[in-house]
Structures are given as structure tokens and as C-alpha cells.
């Protein structure tokens, strides 16, 4: 992508014409874009403090590289402010983490090309949430904050324009979901009774991080009347255990609303690890249920277990496959879950990348 324009040569009329030309070339997601002038791109590069030609990610399957400059061009296209760009860079570095596919790098390519329709989820933690004005409360998945929308859209445009994952070519999602426009959220750390995700994974509370995962669309969970920890967690586990999600399996993100988190963690004193253990133990279906639905699957010595004469297929390999975060508004007993495209990381691991602010 070569955009040889400067702010001095762009007028309102010419900017509109350039945006139309970008759309004609397929460089947009169907929505209006910001013309990436040299000044705007350079502002992003300065905010990231990285060399423009540094390669953040190489995808061997289609021989594409994401450089800092190409990422910056697409961040500007998406409407990112320069100060938001370091989060985009961190997420792309997360995509390059060798733990994808437990060392099988083809998993990153496959997660974007698959019929399964996963989108690249990003979960932001740490002080950068407030510095950028990110939304972690009501309308968590909606367009409630510029930073969430712009960062998520920038990453999607990188996938589309730099790596070639377009709906009409490499991206073969049978249905996909709205997260393919952008899928970025922040944890509501201040309303959580537990340590936030990045602290749980060894970072300091003062660090800023981005967790990345190929995620399916969020599934809402309502329990407005439950008063026990078990009642709330059973409701969540039941949603996780739907038949359509049990065969592929994979890490999951439980996005617990503050009201549910208050009941489980504050009122009844459950630790995060206790809640994750309960969810793991109830995230299962009898194998006979899968057979009745004519779902074909291979026996799995890790996820199949016989108890009381009944063989169960577990949805997770261990409690570590469940990321439990708190986010959303404190106005109803509502949570959600995000299942993953496939087992793309080693057991019990999630990929978090640090955000480097200048």
C-alpha cells in the first residue's frame, strides 16, 4: 500500500476522492476511512517509538509481512488517534507469539481463513485503558468509546489489507460475526473483586497489556434472580456447554458482569481460581448428547472422562483454559462468554503482549 500524499496536498474535496479510490481498490471495510497522509502516519510511528520497517508479524502461508509502517497506515485508515497506535502494535506482536497452535504457526493463518468464522479478539488491561478513554462498562461490545472501535477496526484492516484476509478471498467464514469489523474491549478492573487478567498472568498492575485470541461472537447470559455463587456459575457453565461448541473446544473468555461478580466474589467470597474450577467442572456434556446430535468427534484422553458410568466430553482441558474477566455495566445480572475458534495455545495459557508507551 503506497499512499504518497501529504497534508499540504489534501483538500476536503481531494480527501473524499481518495477515500472513494481506496474503497474501489478494496482497502476499506465498507465504511468511510481517514486518508493516511504522511503526517498522520508519522504521528503514529512517533507514538509507537518503533522503526518503520520493523517486521511485527510474518505469515509464511501467504508470504505477507506486517511492518510498523503498514500497521500505522491501516490504523490511520481506521480512524485511530496516534496515542492509540501502541495498542495496535502490541496486539500484532501478540499474533506473532510462538505459542499460537502450541508452536504450530499455521494456526494463526487458519484462524483467519477458516469457515469457523472467528475474529481476532483483543482484551486490554492496565493504565492504558484510562489513558485512552476505553470503555469497559455499559455497551461493552457496542460503539461506546472511540478507542475500542478504532483499535479493533485498525486490527481488522491490517488483516484485510496487509495479510489479505478478505471476505471474498482468503477469509472463508461461513457466517462470521460482527466482531470482524472490530473486536476490542477492556476489563473493568475497578469493579472486579479479583486480580485483573494481566496480573493473573504475571504482569504488574501498573503494566498495560493486550490479550489476543481468535474468538467467536459473544453469547449473552442472563440471570437476574440468582443469589448464590453456584446459581450464577451454573448459568454460565450451561451456556458454555451448548452442543455446537463442545466438539471443537478451545480456550474461552468468560466476561462476567459486575453484578454477577459481586455475588460470586464479594458476597460469597469465591476466589477467581475457585470460580474457574467450578466452571471447568461443569463445562461438559455427556458424550451420548453429542451422538444424538450426530456430531462426530475423536476420543480425547484429556477432555473425555467417565464418571458414574457416564462418559463426559469436557469443553476445556483444565481450569486454565478459562479466562475470567469482569466487564460491562453494573445495571443488570448479565454476563457473556466468548468461545474460541480452536485450541490455538498450550493448555492453560493465554497470549498477552505488553503495550509499550513512549
Amino acid at each position: 500500500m503506497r499512499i504518497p500524499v501529504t497534508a499540504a496536498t489534501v483538500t476536503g474535496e481531494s480527501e473524499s476522492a481518495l477515500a472513494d479510490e481506496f474503497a474501489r481498490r478494496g482497502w476499506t471495510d465498507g465504511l468511510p476511512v481517514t486518508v493516511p497522509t504522511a503526517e498522520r502516519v508519522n504521528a503514529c510511528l512517533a507514538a509507537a517509538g518503533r522503526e518503520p520497517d520493523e517486521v511485527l508479524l510474518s505469515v509464511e502461508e501467504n508470504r505477507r509481512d506486517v511492518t510498523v509502517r503498514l500497521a500505522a497506515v491501516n490504523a490511520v485508515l481506521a480512524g485511530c488517534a496516534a496515542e492509540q497506535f501502541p495498542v495496535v502494535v502490541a496486539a500484532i506482536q501478540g499474533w506473532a507469539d510462538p505459542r499460537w497452535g502450541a508452536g504450530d504457526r499455521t494456526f494463526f493463518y487458519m484462524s483467519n481463513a477458516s469457515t469457523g468464522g472467528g475474529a481476532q479478539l483483543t482484551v486490554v488491561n492496565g493504565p492504558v485503558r484510562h489513558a485512552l478513554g476505553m470503555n469497559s462498562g455499559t455497551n461493552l461490545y457496542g460503539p461506546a468509546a472511540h478507542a475500542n472501535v478504532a483499535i479493533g477496526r485498525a486490527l481488522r484492516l491490517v488483516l484485510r489489507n496487509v495479510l489479505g484476509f478478505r471476505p471474498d478471498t482468503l477469509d472463508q467464514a461461513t457466517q462470521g460475526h460482527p466482531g470482524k469489523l472490530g473486536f476490542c474491549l477492556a476489563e473493568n478492573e475497578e469493579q472486579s473483586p479479583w486480580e485483573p487478567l494481566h496480573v493473573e498472568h504475571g504482569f504488574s498492575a501498573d503494566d498495560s497489556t493486550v490479550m489476543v485470541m481468535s474468538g467467536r461472537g459473544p453469547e449473552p447470559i442472563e440471570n437476574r434472580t440468582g443469589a448464590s455463587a453456584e446459581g450464577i456459575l451454573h448459568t454460565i457453565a450451561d451456556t458454555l456447554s451448548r452442543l455446537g461448541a463442545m466438539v471443537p473446544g478451545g480456550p474461552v473468555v468468560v466476561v462476567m458482569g459486575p453484578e454477577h461478580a459481586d455475588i460470586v466474589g464479594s458476597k460469597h467470597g469465591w476466589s477467581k481460581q475457585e470460580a474457574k474450577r467450578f466452571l471447568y467442572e461443569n463445562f461438559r456434556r455427556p458424550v451420548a448428547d453429542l451422538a444424538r446430535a450426530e456430531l462426530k468427534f475423536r476420543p480425547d484422553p484429556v477432555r473425555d472422562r467417565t464418571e458414574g458410568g457416564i462418559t463426559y466430553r469436557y469443553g476445556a482441558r483444565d481450569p486454565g483454559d478459562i479466562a475470567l474477566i469482569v466487564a460491562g455495566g453494573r445495571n443488570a445480572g448479565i454476563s457473556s462468554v466468548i468461545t474460541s475458534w480452536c485450541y490455538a495455545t498450550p493448555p492453560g495459557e493465554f497470549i498477552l503482549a505488553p503495550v509499550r508507551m513512549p
Side-chain angles (χ1 to χ4, degrees):
M1 298 179 67
R2 296 181 180 272
I3 320 285
V5 296
T6 66
T9 63
V10 175
T11 65
E13 184 176 339
S14 64
E15 181 151 7
S16 176
L18 282 168
D20 289 344
E21 176 63 14
F22 296 163
R24 188 188 69 79
R25 296 189 183 194
W27 291 349
T28 81
D29 50 12
L31 297 174
V33 294
T34 301
V35 173
T37 63
E39 291 81 0
R40 290 166 178 164
V41 171
N42 287 338
C44 285
L45 295 174
R50 314 293 284 258
E51 290 298 320
D53 295 326
E54 178 187 350
V55 175
L56 298 172
L57 170 68
S58 293
V59 178
E60 296 180 2
E61 289 77 11
N62 58 351
R63 300 179 182 180
R64 300 284 187 98
D65 293 333
V66 181
T67 64
V68 178
R69 188 192 307 277
L70 285 172
V73 168
N74 283 277
V76 175
L77 278 170
C80 268
E83 61 268 21
Q84 296 164 356
F85 184 57
V87 179
V88 175
V89 170
I92 296 170
Q93 289 187 298
W95 294 348
D97 193 293
R99 287 174 293 175
W100 273 90
D104 183 353
R105 283 297 303 165
T106 62
F107 268 61
F108 178 76
Y109 176 89
M110 292 165 59
S111 72
N112 291 292
S114 168
T115 55
Q120 294 303 328
L121 168 69
T122 56
V123 178
V124 180
N125 279 97
V128 73
R129 298 169 302 127
H130 295 308
L132 299 181
M134 298 191 74
N135 177 43
S136 62
T138 55
N139 268 293
L140 179 70
Y141 300 111
H146 179 268
N148 299 54
V149 176
I151 291 167
R153 188 186 184 203
L155 291 167
R156 189 65 214 171
L157 288 179
V158 168
L159 289 167
R160 178 189 181 96
N161 294 335
V162 185
L163 296 178
F165 292 106
R166 298 186 182 188
D168 54 346
T169 54
L170 292 183
D171 185 346
Q172 292 293 308
T174 302
Q175 293 189 326
H177 66 84
K180 282 182 173 283
L181 280 170
F183 206 8
C184 176
L185 56 136
E187 182 168 7
N188 195 338
E189 299 176 20
E190 292 70 28
Q191 296 197 39
S192 173
W194 304 301
E195 71 274 20
L197 182 67
H198 67 314
V199 173
E200 181 184 2
H201 285 268
F203 289 90
S204 163
D206 293 330
D207 292 330
S208 293
T209 65
V210 178
M211 187 277 282
V212 293
M213 184 186 88
S214 178
R216 302 182 191 274
E219 301 172 49
I221 300 163
E222 290 204 30
N223 187 338
R224 299 171 185 253
T225 57
S228 68
E230 292 87 349
I232 300 303
L233 294 171
H234 266 303
T235 311
I236 295 171
D238 182 74
T239 301
L240 284 171
S241 302
R242 62 181 177 82
L243 280 173
M246 291 302 295
V247 173
V252 300
V253 179
V254 173
V255 184
M256 191 176 288
E259 285 199 7
H260 284 166
D262 279 348
I263 293 170
V264 177
S266 300
K267 180 179 178 181
H268 293 287
W270 285 44
S271 70
K272 179 185 275 193
Q273 296 308 314
E274 288 171 331
K276 289 170 61 171
R277 167 64 65 176
F278 185 97
L279 289 170
Y280 163 72
E281 291 174 348
N282 291 278
F283 180 9
R284 65 181 189 175
R285 288 294 288 261
V287 167
D289 287 356
L290 278 69
R292 277 194 292 272
E294 300 178 356
L295 289 167
K296 296 181 180 180
F297 58 95
R298 297 174 182 173
D300 186 331
V302 175
R303 296 171 59 207
D304 295 344
R305 187 185 308 169
T306 301
E307 301 172 13
I310 300 173
T311 300
Y312 293 93
R313 163 61 59 97
Y314 279 73
R317 295 165 293 188
D318 61 40
D321 276 342
I322 300 171
L324 174 56
I325 69 171
V326 174
R330 188 187 292 276
N331 56 1
I334 296 175
S335 296
S336 58
V337 296
I338 302 170
T339 58
S340 63
W341 167 78
C342 194
Y343 281 115
T345 51
E349 292 192 28
F350 285 83
I351 295 172
L352 280 76
V355 178
R356 286 174 43 184
M357 303 298 287

